[in-house]
Amino acid sequence: MYSANAISMDIINDLHQFDIFNHITDKTLRKYLPYFYFRSYKKHQCLFMQGDPRDKIFFLLDGYVMYERSSKEGSMMYLDFVKRNQMFPYVGLFQDTVYQDTALAVTDVHLYFIETHIFEEWIKTNPKQLLSIINKLSDILNLHQKRVQKIMVPNAQERVIHTLQFLMEDLGEKKKDGIQIPCPLTAANIAKISGTTRETVSHLINQLKRDEVISVEAKKIHFHDPEYFKEIT
């Protein structure tokens, strides 16, 4: 049997993997442990829906979560991914009362969550945590400005190339023979991000596979020649 203290240290060690808790002492984290809850979600499960009360902040331990946002007419407006050791959602802290996106588990995921009002009151009293939030929001803004700039080009195939590069840089993990995105991606996902059709994406991916620039196994893209995308762009 594990002691309560050992379990507490495991949770504290987990939380220290997140940037926002880098400067928080074990003593302070221990004080807030009763407010953290552990949850597991299976692939395709919904964590929250667009428009739901924004009552939880999540800390992803492993797996991948996908954001989707739709217009009132039902058309897709936004799609993005959250990877392990990331807090979400950042956008809307201190102001939004509902979630702006729908969050779906792309893989099986494990995470902690804390009620939003408790988290917001906590970080208000800690300047280092607030600074971490500001820095992260700045990083997110810069990342998405670059993403928008790259996928606004008129040529559909170029938009797909830019999207693949964006996903490689954001989600990719270095391997001996290139970079792999462990998050399973479909042609439909890439089409939504790049604003193209699934047929255009499938055609280009098949061409890149024939040229041995990438390979795909179990919907996981392996980039054998990452420099190809930088040269193209």
Side-chain angles (χ1 to χ4, degrees):
M1 295 291 290
Y2 292 101
S3 69
N5 187 58
I7 294 173
S8 295
M9 284 308 301
D10 285 344
I11 299 174
I12 289 171
N13 289 335
D14 285 343
L15 294 177
H16 274 309
Q17 302 302 310
F18 297 87
D19 291 342
I20 194 169
F21 298 128
N22 278 347
H23 305 290
I24 305 300
T25 64
D26 288 0
K27 181 179 179 181
T28 301
L29 279 177
R30 197 181 302 277
K31 174 183 174 183
Y32 282 91
L33 287 189
Y35 300 108
F36 282 93
Y37 299 89
F38 177 82
R39 287 290 185 274
S40 296
Y41 291 86
K42 291 294 185 181
K43 182 178 179 179
H44 301 314
Q45 274 193 284
C46 180
L47 283 70
F48 53 80
M49 294 285 290
Q50 182 178 343
D52 282 351
R54 194 179 187 281
D55 55 359
K56 299 181 183 68
I57 302 295
F58 299 85
F59 301 87
L60 187 60
L61 293 171
D62 58 59
Y64 292 87
V65 171
M66 181 173 70
Y67 282 161
E68 290 184 345
R69 186 184 308 170
S70 303
S71 67
K72 291 181 180 179
E73 293 74 28
S75 59
M76 180 61 61
M77 295 173 58
Y78 177 76
L79 189 145
D80 201 8
F81 295 87
V82 181
K83 57 188 176 182
R84 65 178 179 174
N85 295 339
Q86 287 189 340
M87 170 187 131
F88 68 97
Y90 274 94
V91 176
L93 280 171
F94 304 112
Q95 59 181 16
D96 286 357
T97 58
V98 299
Y99 292 113
Q100 296 183 13
D101 308 287
T102 294
L104 301 168
V106 183
T107 63
D108 291 350
V109 302
H110 302 91
L111 52 77
Y112 293 106
F113 72 82
I114 185 172
E115 291 183 31
T116 301
H117 70 95
I118 293 174
F119 181 73
E120 290 179 344
E121 288 302 318
W122 177 14
I123 61 177
K124 281 179 184 178
T125 65
N126 193 307
K128 289 183 178 179
Q129 281 183 295
L130 281 174
L131 182 60
S132 177
I133 292 284
I134 292 169
N135 288 337
K136 184 62 178 179
L137 284 170
S138 179
D139 289 343
I140 291 172
L141 178 61
N142 288 333
L143 180 68
H144 287 286
Q145 283 179 334
K146 291 177 181 177
R147 169 178 163 177
V148 169
Q149 289 168 359
K150 287 184 176 181
I151 64 174
M152 287 298 287
V153 295
N155 184 279
Q157 289 197 342
E158 285 186 36
R159 294 203 299 273
V160 177
I161 290 289
H162 288 310
T163 297
L164 288 171
Q165 183 191 18
F166 168 79
L167 292 168
M168 176 182 70
E169 293 175 350
D170 186 37
L171 301 176
E173 295 181 359
K174 289 185 178 180
K175 302 293 181 181
K176 290 181 180 179
D177 57 344
I179 296 175
Q180 184 188 48
I181 298 179
C183 175
L185 296 167
T186 66
N189 295 151
I190 298 169
K192 288 175 182 177
I193 296 173
S194 58
T196 60
T197 64
R198 186 168 55 184
E199 289 74 20
T200 298
V201 173
S202 297
H203 175 77
L204 184 58
I205 285 180
N206 286 333
Q207 181 61 54
L208 293 173
K209 287 161 65 176
R210 286 193 293 270
D211 294 341
E212 298 183 348
V213 176
I214 66 171
S215 60
V216 182
E217 184 176 353
K219 299 180 182 177
K220 298 176 183 178
I221 304 175
H222 195 123
F223 297 82
H224 300 289
D225 185 8
E227 292 301 317
Y228 170 88
F229 294 88
K230 297 178 181 178
E231 293 168 2
I232 291 293
T233 56

